[in-house]
Amino acid sequence: TRIMPAKDFYHETVKVALIKDGWTITKDPLTLSVGTRPALVDLGAEKLFAAEKDAQKIAVEIKNFLSPSPMNDLEKAMGQFFLYSDILAEQEPDRMLYLAIPFAAYRGIFSEELGQLVMRRRPEFKLLVFNPKIQEIMQWIPPIAGTAN
């Protein structure tokens, strides 16, 4: 029996925000694997799920950025993002991966020089910025056609 990782603190919040934005949740979680290695790695706060809207497909990795070290959170998030991106590129090339982060993280480490460097040097790094209080998506970076931004 495989043990499923715990759902992220903001898992349901992001799901509600996507549904409000017109997405249909198609897989919760989206399970990926390469060989015998599952790509859904339990680091205590991670979960992928898939959504579809107007024939657009995305996968969403949720990060809460609530630990005492935003740098550590960013390192883990980037590592998972690029690992899952590589797997998706081979297994589901029509599905784009987004990292869902709360607005506080966007206003924090992502607005600082380090976050700007990452966004500038890694254009494939995509963000979904959400407001946890009202359970809504605030911004897609880069924008997705047909979404409010």
Side-chain angles (χ1 to χ4, degrees), residues 1-6 28-43 46-48 80 84 87 91:
T1 306
R2 217 166 109 203
I3 298 171
M4 292 301 291
D28 179 6
L30 171 61
T31 304
L32 303 171
S33 62
V34 176
T36 60
R37 301 270 181 197
L40 186 59
V41 180
D42 183 11
L43 295 176
E46 289 77 39
K47 194 85 162 190
L48 281 175
Q80 280 190 296
Y84 294 162
I87 296 168
Q91 296 182 5

Side-chain angles (χ1 to χ4, degrees), residues 47-145:
K47 194 85 162 190
L48 281 175
F49 60 87
E52 295 183 20
K53 176 181 177 180
D54 302 326
Q56 294 176 321
K57 292 182 179 182
I58 61 172
V60 178
E61 174 62 18
I62 304 165
K63 291 293 179 206
N64 58 33
F65 281 82
L66 295 174
S67 85
S69 172
M71 181 68 175
N72 190 41
D73 288 344
L74 180 62
E75 290 170 351
K76 286 181 179 179
M78 286 185 66
Q80 280 190 296
F81 182 90
F82 290 109
L83 176 64
Y84 294 162
S85 269
D86 288 347
I87 296 168
L88 280 169
E90 295 226 339
Q91 296 182 5
E92 295 193 44
D94 60 335
R95 194 179 296 279
M96 284 190 300
L97 180 62
Y98 276 81
L99 180 71
I101 60 169
F103 184 67
Y106 180 67
R107 293 287 307 207
I109 196 163
F110 284 93
S111 68
E112 297 167 8
E113 288 178 47
L114 179 60
Q116 293 301 303
L117 171 72
V118 168
M119 299 305 292
R120 192 171 56 248
R121 300 282 304 162
R122 301 285 190 162
E124 66 275 26
F125 198 53
K126 296 172 179 61
L127 297 179
L128 180 168
V129 182
F130 65 95
N131 181 325
K133 289 186 174 78
I134 60 173
Q135 297 184 314
E136 288 184 0
I137 296 168
M138 299 181 69
Q139 193 171 1
W140 295 87
I141 303 169
I144 291 183

